[in-house]
Amino acid sequence: MHSPTLIVLAAILAALVTTVLYAVWFFNKNIPGLRLWTFSFLSASVFCTNLLVRDLFPELVSVALTQSSIALAAYFCFLGSRSYMGRTLPSHAYAVAAIAALVGVSVYFTVELPHMGARFALSGLVSGVYFVLTAVTLARGGFRNVPARYIFSGLVGFHGIFVLLRPLLFRLTTVDSLGVPDARLIDQLSQYVVLESTVALVMMAFGILMLTNEHITTELRHLAEVDPLTSVFNRRAFLTLLEKAISQAERTRQSLPVLVLDLDHFKKINDTWGHSGGDDVLRQFVLLSNRCLRKEDVMGRLGGEEFAIFLPNADGPGAQAVAERLRTLVQAQPVQSGPQSIALTVSIGVALCVRGDSADAVLKRADTAMYLAKQNGRNRVEVAETPLFV
């Protein structure tokens, strides 16, 4: 291994990764964190380039640029992780103060009390902390669900800890009788430090691309499963989840109520207030429904103004009480669509799953009960008779 060669390689890789990330961000600007990660690798590129041309500048300028660029690379990496996880970005004042202090102390150990070892130890202080914070930020959601986050978190966390502890490596060097350190061992340790940073650079780039793929895959799955207007499950996804819930209920011998809901006179609402008013009604109805449901309850839009809900671990009377509470709430909360107020009611049918039921069968019974509520004057809850199985 040859340190200058490794630094050249690292500079080339950092520049290539920066270019790739910028291109990906340019065409996918909705991916959270990607722009900040691009800035992170841009800062790393500046750091590597500065190491190559540091003899062309005064030492003071080179030291300040080295310390600030590597600290900014870690800070932008941390900001990217916060953005990717949907968390608010912290105040930049703390980072600015930390980096300014880092540069100031480094300048002191360059001009007033020259000490390369102290500058080396300082170079990993801010960046190591931010890399560890990045790892802690991303390790959320469960490895089975989001493995890319944990892989990237492990890579960044290992690099952060290594950066914080690497000054201890140079304590392994021996000194001769005059107290002069073994230059050969120092050179070897320096090569390993540069090699670790180069490998970390490449692996972190792959980690960011994995997170980009995770986000795109999640978005595609969301589009395939969720109704874009109301943000509840679409018919296909709801039926799949209902089948799984029925199987679970049979295994645990728990009841599973299903509700089918239809907004009354929805065509008249569309004709009177236009499709924008109808869209506002649908969104408001879902918001009101969520106020009556538990976290484990599942709601889907079957089509048009028809919705369905299943209530795991609930019984018939409990489901009927939920339906009545929802019906009352919808009636009492007119929808505000611009300046106008739109009165709204809902008819609800309730059915209980029985042994051997399919999703289509129980939905059909609940749908029949819902139409009975329509026939009996609307704005009602009707409960379907439960068939008996021998």
Side-chain angles (χ1 to χ4, degrees):
M1 293 180 294
H2 186 236
S3 293
T5 303
L6 288 174
I7 294 173
V8 170
L9 178 62
I12 294 173
L13 289 173
L16 286 175
V17 170
T18 302
T19 304
V20 170
L21 291 181
Y22 175 79
V24 175
W25 169 78
F26 185 81
F27 292 105
N28 300 273
K29 293 184 179 179
N30 63 323
I31 298 177
L34 190 55
R35 180 176 64 93
L36 293 165
W37 282 324
T38 302
F39 287 147
S40 175
F41 275 89
L42 178 61
S43 301
S45 299
V46 172
F47 168 73
C48 295
T49 304
N50 179 64
L51 291 181
L52 292 174
V53 299
R54 58 187 172 184
D55 293 337
L56 303 178
F57 299 99
E59 185 180 18
L60 190 62
V61 174
S62 178
V63 167
L65 190 58
T66 297
Q67 299 287 32
S68 59
S69 59
I70 194 61
L72 283 172
Y75 180 59
F76 281 126
C77 188
F78 169 65
L79 292 180
S81 69
R82 296 274 302 188
S83 178
Y84 184 84
M85 297 297 291
R87 302 174 66 178
T88 56
L89 299 183
S91 171
H92 299 315
Y94 297 106
V96 170
I99 295 174
L102 171 68
V103 173
V105 176
S106 298
V107 168
Y108 172 80
F109 282 115
T110 302
V111 178
E112 298 294 332
L113 184 63
H115 196 297
M116 184 175 295
R119 295 204 307 265
F120 178 74
L122 287 168
S123 67
L125 190 59
V126 174
S127 60
V129 169
Y130 275 122
F131 280 132
V132 171
L133 289 175
T134 298
V136 173
T137 301
L138 285 171
R140 299 284 190 278
F143 184 82
R144 286 180 176 272
N145 298 324
V146 282
R149 295 183 194 176
Y150 286 83
I151 294 173
F152 185 70
S153 173
L155 293 171
V156 177
F158 176 83
H159 179 62
I161 293 172
F162 179 82
V163 166
L164 288 171
L165 299 181
R166 67 187 178 186
L168 300 179
L169 287 175
F170 292 90
R171 292 184 175 273
L172 300 175
T173 58
T174 57
V175 296
D176 58 19
S177 58
L178 299 177
V180 179
D182 185 350
R184 179 173 168 274
L185 184 56
I186 289 178
D187 184 60
Q188 289 179 344
L189 290 174
S190 299
Q191 291 173 5
Y192 282 112
V193 167
V194 175
L195 179 62
E196 188 278 336
S197 298
T198 305
V199 172
L201 181 76
V202 175
M203 298 306 294
M204 287 166 62
F206 278 114
I208 289 173
L209 292 177
M210 289 171 62
L211 290 177
T212 300
N213 179 69
E214 175 191 278
H215 177 81
I216 293 173
T217 303
T218 302
E219 286 291 301
L220 291 174
R221 186 182 300 117
H222 180 80
L223 291 174
E225 295 179 349
V226 174
D227 173 58
L229 177 63
T230 60
S231 297
V232 298
F233 289 107
N234 59 27
R235 182 184 184 90
R236 182 173 61 84
F238 180 82
L239 290 175
T240 300
L241 293 172
L242 179 55
E243 290 285 5
K244 293 180 180 179
I246 290 173
S247 298
Q248 176 69 17
E250 288 186 352
R251 285 196 301 271
T252 58
R253 297 185 178 181
Q254 297 286 334
S255 59
L256 181 67
V258 176
L259 283 60
V260 170
L261 314 92
D262 191 270
L263 303 184
D264 297 328
H265 303 295
F266 186 73
K267 185 179 183 303
K268 183 179 179 181
I269 292 174
N270 267 336
D271 292 341
T272 304
W273 307 108
H275 288 290
S276 61
D279 290 347
D280 289 339
V281 165
L282 293 172
R283 283 191 287 261
Q284 174 74 1
F285 172 71
V286 170
L287 289 175
L288 293 176
S289 299
N290 286 330
R291 288 167 56 179
C292 298
L293 301 178
R294 306 164 299 174
K295 288 184 178 180
E296 61 265 35
D297 300 332
V298 178
M299 184 175 188
R301 185 182 180 191
L302 301 183
E305 71 276 19
E306 189 174 17
F307 294 82
I309 301 170
F310 64 81
L311 311 172
N313 302 319
D315 56 14
Q320 190 172 358
V322 170
E324 284 289 354
R325 186 162 64 250
L326 174 56
R327 183 196 64 78
T328 303
L329 182 61
V330 169
Q331 184 182 18
Q333 296 277 344
V335 178
Q336 291 300 130
S337 179
Q340 65 260 16
S341 179
I342 305 174
L344 182 66
T345 60
V346 61
S347 299
I348 306 175
V350 181
L352 274 178
C353 290
V354 296
R355 181 170 53 86
D357 247 340
S358 66
D360 288 334
V362 68
L363 279 175
K364 185 176 180 180
R365 293 201 306 276
D367 192 61
T368 300
M370 182 272 294
Y371 275 106
L372 181 61
K374 294 277 191 184
Q375 294 170 8
N376 289 337
R378 294 184 172 83
N379 191 25
R380 293 173 56 86
V381 175
E382 295 287 349
V383 180
E385 292 185 5
T386 303
L388 298 177
F389 288 81
V390 179

